Amino acid sequence: MEFENGSGRVDGSRYLPISEHGLIGDLRTAALVGTNGTIDWYCCPRFDAPSVFASILDADKGGSFELAVDLSTRTRQFYFPDTNVLITRFYAADGVAEIQDFMPVVDESREASRHRLIRRVIGVRGSLPFRARVAPRFGYGAEAHSVRAQGHEAIFECRSISLALTSTAPLECDGTDVWSHFKLLEGESVVFALDQIGDEVRPRGCPHAEAEEQFEATVRFWRQWLSRSRYRGRWREMVHRSALLLKLLTYVPTGAIVAAPTTSLPEQAGGERNWDYRYVWIRDAAFCVYAMLRLGFTTEAEAFMGFLSERGIMRGTGPTGPLQIMYGIDGRSDLPESELLHLEGHLGSAPVRVGNAATKQLQLDIYGALIDSIYLYDKWGRPISSAHWDEVGVLVDWLCDNWDQPDEGIWEIRDGRRNFVYSRLMCWVAIERAIRMANRRGLPADLPRWQQSRDTIYRQIMREGWSVNRGAFVQGLGDDVLDASLLMMPMAKFISPTDPKWLATLDALTTDLVSDSLVFRYDPEASPDGLRGAEGTFSICSFWYVEALARAGRVEEARLAFEKMLTYANHLGLYAEEIGRTGEQLGNFPQAFTHLSLISAAFNLDRVLG
C-alpha cells in the first residue's frame, strides 16, 4: 500500500502498523518493540529526549534495533503475565524461539542512569538462525556518530550521548552499524544489553546469569506493584493491562505522567495531524490520577501532587493564567514546536513535530480536571496540605474572575478561541469541588463568591449551552454543533444522568457522532478546527459513551458498546488515541487518555451490573 506525502508516494510496506507494537520501559523512558522483533522507537535517557531509534517515523533515516530469524516465520507477541516484560515468539519450520524484551526498573542510584535495555533471545525448539542489526540514528536521525566494536562490545558515540552494546554473541562493525549472526538450538540463548554510559557509568556486559537475575527482578517489580490493585471486576485483564501501561508512562524522578511515549504518529495516514505527546498535560495527568486512585494506587497520585508542588506548577503567572495546559516532565514551561523536515513521517505523514505549540493555548477546562483530581486525592488518598489548599484557593479565585472568556478548548483547536460549553462545565467542576473540600474540612474560602460564580456558570450553560433547534446541549454557547466532550456532563455530576435534557443530548450524540460504539469528537465540517484532513474516532470519547449509557440506565447498550471497544485493542490490549475507518489504531501510541477512560468505564459498568 502506498501513501501520499509532500514529496511523493511512500511505500507503506516499509512500516509496521502502529498497533503491531508493544511497549517496555523503566519509568524514565520507553521503547516500542514491533511484532517483527524490531525496536523502532526509543528515546534515551528520558521520554522527551531525542530519539535513538525512530524507524517508525522514517524507515530509512530513523534507526532501529533489529532481531529477526533468517527464515520465513510467523510471530506472536504477549506480555509475561502481570508485567511489562514483552515476549516476541518466532515460529518456523525448523524451530521456535523467543525474544524477551525488558528494561530493569532501578532506584535513584547511579545505575538508574544506565537505562539498560535487555534483549534475551532463547531457543525453544529445534534450531533457528538469527541476525541482529543495531543501527542507532541519534538526534532524531540528524546527529552523526562513530562506533567502535571489538569482540562482544560496541560503543556508539555522538556529541550528546554515548551508548554501549554488549552481547554474548560476537559483534561485527559495518560503518555506523553493528551486526551479529548466530544460530540457537533448544535451550540456548544470546543476550544483548544496550546501556547509556558516561563518566560514572562504564560499559558492563550482561552475562546469562545476570540477564536471568534481571529478568526475575523486573518480573517481581511489576507483579508486586500490580498486587496493590483493588480491582476485582469482570474485565480484570484489560483493566490491569491499562494500569500497567499508565504506570509505564510515569516519570519517577519527578512524578510526572506523560500523555504518550511517542511523537507524530498520525491521526490520518498521510495527514498533518501529527503531534508530540511526550509531555505532561494537566488534563491527562489529572484524569490518570483519578484512574489510579480508583484502583487503589495512591502512591502515583501522591507523586503527581509532588510534581505540582515541587515544580511550582500551581503558582504560575503566565500569560494564560496560573496554569499552562502542559509542561515538560521536569516541570519546564517552554516547549517550542519545530518540524523535522528530514524525516518522512510514519507512512509519509509529515510533518514530524518535536515540542508542542499548544503550550501557549488557553484551555479553561484543565482547572476542573486538576481540582477534581485534588478533591479525589484529598478524599481517597490523604488530606491535602495547607500549602496545597492555599494554591487551590488562588486557582479558584482566578477562575472566578476569568471563566467567562473564550478559549481553545479540550480539543486544542488552532482556529481561534470560542465559548466552549465543555470549558464552562469544567470551570463549574473546579469551583464546585473546591467548595466541597472547604465545607468538608472547614477550610478557609471566600464561599459566597465561589458559590455565586458556580451558580452563574450553571445558569449560563443551561440557558446558552442548550440548543432548542437540536434539542441537546451543544459544543459552543449559542450554536447547534454537537461535541462528544459533553458526555462528561453527568460524570462530572453537573446534571443527573436521567435528566430529560441529558437523555435527549445522549440520543442526539448517538445519532450524529456514534458509529458502532465508536465516537467522533465532533463534525469538523460543522466546526472547523484550523487543520486539514480527517481523523478517526476518539477512543476516550467511546469509553465516555459507555459510562454515559451505564449511568443513564441503558446497561445492556453500555455493556455491548464496551465489549465492542475491547475488540479494537491491539494483540496486547493496548490502544492509540484514535480508531480509523477499518479499525486501525491511529495517533500516538499507547495513549494514556484511552486507557484511563477504559478503567473508569469498566469500574462504573461493573458497579451498575452488580
Side-chain angles (χ1 to χ4, degrees):
M1 183 179 297
E2 291 189 335
F3 295 86
E4 188 79 33
N5 74 355
S7 304
R9 308 296 289 180
V10 175
D11 180 8
S13 65
R14 295 155 59 240
Y15 292 90
L16 274 183
I18 292 171
S19 62
E20 292 294 306
H21 291 87
L23 189 73
I24 60 172
D26 64 355
L27 307 184
R28 290 164 175 82
T29 187
L32 287 181
V33 184
T35 52
N36 59 0
T38 295
I39 296 178
D40 56 15
W41 179 254
Y42 175 56
C43 298
C44 188
R46 47 190 243 175
F47 291 109
D48 58 355
S51 62
V52 173
F53 304 128
S55 57
I56 197 170
L57 295 178
D58 193 308
D60 298 323
K61 301 175 185 174
S64 63
F65 188 155
E66 300 175 14
L67 265 177
V69 175
D70 274 327
L71 295 170
S72 177
T73 60
R74 294 177 295 110
T75 64
R76 293 289 186 272
Q77 202 174 54
F78 67 99
Y79 279 112
F80 202 76
D82 294 336
T83 77
N84 283 314
V85 174
L86 189 64
I87 313 294
T88 307
R89 291 173 67 86
F90 296 82
Y91 302 85
D94 294 340
V96 177
E98 70 181 35
I99 305 171
Q100 298 173 348
D101 282 306
F102 59 98
M103 296 179 69
V105 180
V106 298
D107 58 21
E108 292 299 322
S109 67
R110 184 181 302 168
E111 276 299 296
S113 299
R114 188 176 293 277
H115 300 287
R116 170 159 279 190
L117 194 162
I118 295 176
R119 313 199 72 188
R120 183 164 67 162
V121 194
I122 298 175
V124 177
R125 292 179 182 170
S127 172
L128 288 180
F130 270 84
R131 70 179 185 278
R133 175 176 174 265
V134 185
R137 298 292 182 266
F138 296 96
Y140 304 108
E143 191 172 346
H145 73 275
S146 63
V147 59
R148 293 179 284 111
Q150 183 174 3
H152 295 257
E153 180 181 285
I155 307 294
F156 300 95
E157 292 180 303
C158 69
R159 178 180 53 81
S160 58
I161 191 174
S162 297
L163 298 180
L165 174 73
T166 58
S167 172
T168 57
L171 300 174
E172 302 173 29
C173 183
D174 178 14
T176 56
D177 304 342
V178 168
W179 294 77
S180 184
H181 295 268
F182 54 92
K183 178 176 286 189
L184 288 179
L185 301 176
E186 181 175 334
E188 294 181 338
S189 65
V190 165
V191 177
F192 294 89
L194 187 66
D195 299 342
Q196 178 186 238
I197 58 172
D199 292 339
E200 295 186 345
V201 180
R202 306 308 303 161
R204 192 185 79 223
C206 187
H208 295 283
E210 182 175 342
E212 176 63 24
E213 177 186 322
Q214 290 292 298
F215 176 87
E216 292 177 356
T218 306
V219 167
R220 188 164 55 250
F221 171 86
W222 288 113
R223 287 183 169 173
Q224 287 176 349
W225 179 82
L226 191 61
S227 69
R228 291 161 35 206
S229 169
R230 293 201 301 251
Y231 182 77
R232 299 293 183 270
R234 294 166 176 81
W235 296 283
R236 187 173 177 183
E237 184 174 349
M238 289 298 293
V239 167
H240 280 174
R241 177 50 52 199
S242 293
L244 285 163
L245 182 276
L246 294 182
K247 179 64 173 176
L248 266 183
L249 299 183
T250 59
Y251 183 65
V252 159
T254 65
I257 307 170
V258 299
T262 55
T263 181
S264 300
L265 294 183
E267 297 175 17
Q268 178 190 26
E272 68 167 347
R273 296 171 182 262
N274 320 312
W275 315 110
D276 193 347
Y277 277 12
R278 299 170 298 158
Y279 307 115
V280 186
W281 266 256
I282 290 294
R283 176 192 309 109
D284 302 43
F287 284 163
C288 276
V289 167
Y290 166 81
M292 289 293 201
L293 286 170
R294 272 292 184 204
L295 299 177
F297 296 110
T298 56
T299 302
E300 287 67 30
E302 184 174 352
F304 180 67
M305 295 301 159
F307 171 76
L308 295 174
S309 60
E310 292 167 16
R311 308 288 155 169
I313 300 298
M314 294 198 294
R315 298 189 297 275
T317 55
T320 59
L323 292 179
Q324 286 188 179
I325 70 163
M326 74 181 91
Y327 298 85
I329 57 178
D330 53 5
R332 74 188 189 280
S333 57
D334 190 25
L335 304 172
E337 182 177 303
S338 61
E339 297 180 359
L340 304 181
L341 301 180
H342 63 284
L343 298 179
E344 71 175 13
H346 182 77
L347 296 175
S349 306
V352 171
R353 293 184 172 96
V354 172
N356 203 306
T359 309
K360 303 306 180 185
Q361 288 191 354
L362 173 64
Q363 297 176 20
L364 291 168
D365 67 283
I366 64 175
Y367 291 89
L370 178 60
I371 294 178
D372 190 38
S373 71
I374 294 172
Y375 162 76
L376 294 172
Y377 175 71
D378 182 72
K379 181 179 178 181
W380 296 339
R382 63 174 59 181
I384 63 170
S385 67
S386 57
H388 263 140
W389 177 248
D390 289 342
E391 292 170 344
V392 169
V394 170
L395 296 184
V396 176
D397 285 338
W398 182 88
L399 211 53
C400 287
D401 290 331
N402 291 276
W403 64 265
D404 193 11
Q405 59 177 306
D407 69 347
E408 279 88 0
I410 182 176
W411 306 131
E412 299 182 357
I413 63 167
R414 298 198 175 195
D415 193 35
R417 293 178 178 177
R418 306 177 198 167
N419 291 305
F420 288 107
V421 172
Y422 180 78
S423 296
R424 298 292 197 274
L425 166 71
M426 296 307 286
C427 288
W428 178 91
V429 168
I431 300 170
E432 197 276 338
R433 299 305 191 267
I435 291 170
R436 286 196 194 192
M437 277 191 283
N439 286 331
R440 190 179 74 247
R441 291 187 49 197
L443 297 169
D446 189 351
L447 288 177
R449 182 180 184 227
W450 291 9
Q451 289 166 348
Q452 182 181 20
S453 295
R454 177 197 64 185
D455 296 347
T456 303
I457 297 170
Y458 178 90
R459 293 189 184 101
Q460 186 188 73
I461 292 174
M462 285 299 186
R463 183 178 63 252
E464 300 178 50
W466 171 264
S467 167
V468 175
N469 292 336
R470 294 305 304 264
F473 290 105
V474 287
Q475 182 183 72
L477 300 180
D479 69 29
D480 292 329
V481 178
L482 296 177
D483 192 306
S485 64
L486 300 178
L487 290 163
M488 279 289 291
M489 294 182 86
M491 288 185 271
K493 303 190 188 314
F494 177 85
I495 193 169
S496 164
T498 56
D499 186 290
K501 280 191 169 183
W502 170 247
L503 293 177
T505 302
L506 184 57
D507 287 339
L509 291 169
T510 300
T511 299
D512 280 30
L513 298 182
V514 179
S515 173
D516 189 42
S517 84
L518 300 175
V519 181
F520 291 94
R521 295 189 296 177
Y522 50 84
D523 180 355
E525 292 187 6
S527 178
D529 55 17
L531 294 164
R532 298 187 304 273
E535 63 182 16
T537 57
F538 257 62
S539 292
I540 187 173
C541 298
S542 300
F543 285 118
W544 283 349
Y545 180 61
V546 169
E547 234 181 292
L549 288 172
R551 290 172 183 265
R554 294 159 60 173
V555 181
E556 286 303 314
E557 289 180 65
R559 185 169 187 176
L560 180 59
F562 186 75
E563 294 289 356
K564 285 180 178 178
M565 271 303 298
L566 297 186
T567 70
Y568 289 104
N570 82 341
H571 57 289
L572 298 169
L574 302 179
Y575 293 86
E577 185 175 34
E578 303 179 24
I579 304 294
R581 292 180 62 85
T582 58
E584 72 274 21
Q585 302 269 359
L586 296 172
N588 284 305
F589 174 89
Q591 179 82 3
F593 238 178
T594 305
H595 288 274
L596 63 88
S597 60
L598 182 156
I599 291 171
S600 182
F603 183 91
N604 286 287
L605 193 51
D606 270 317
R607 185 167 58 184
V608 298
L609 287 170

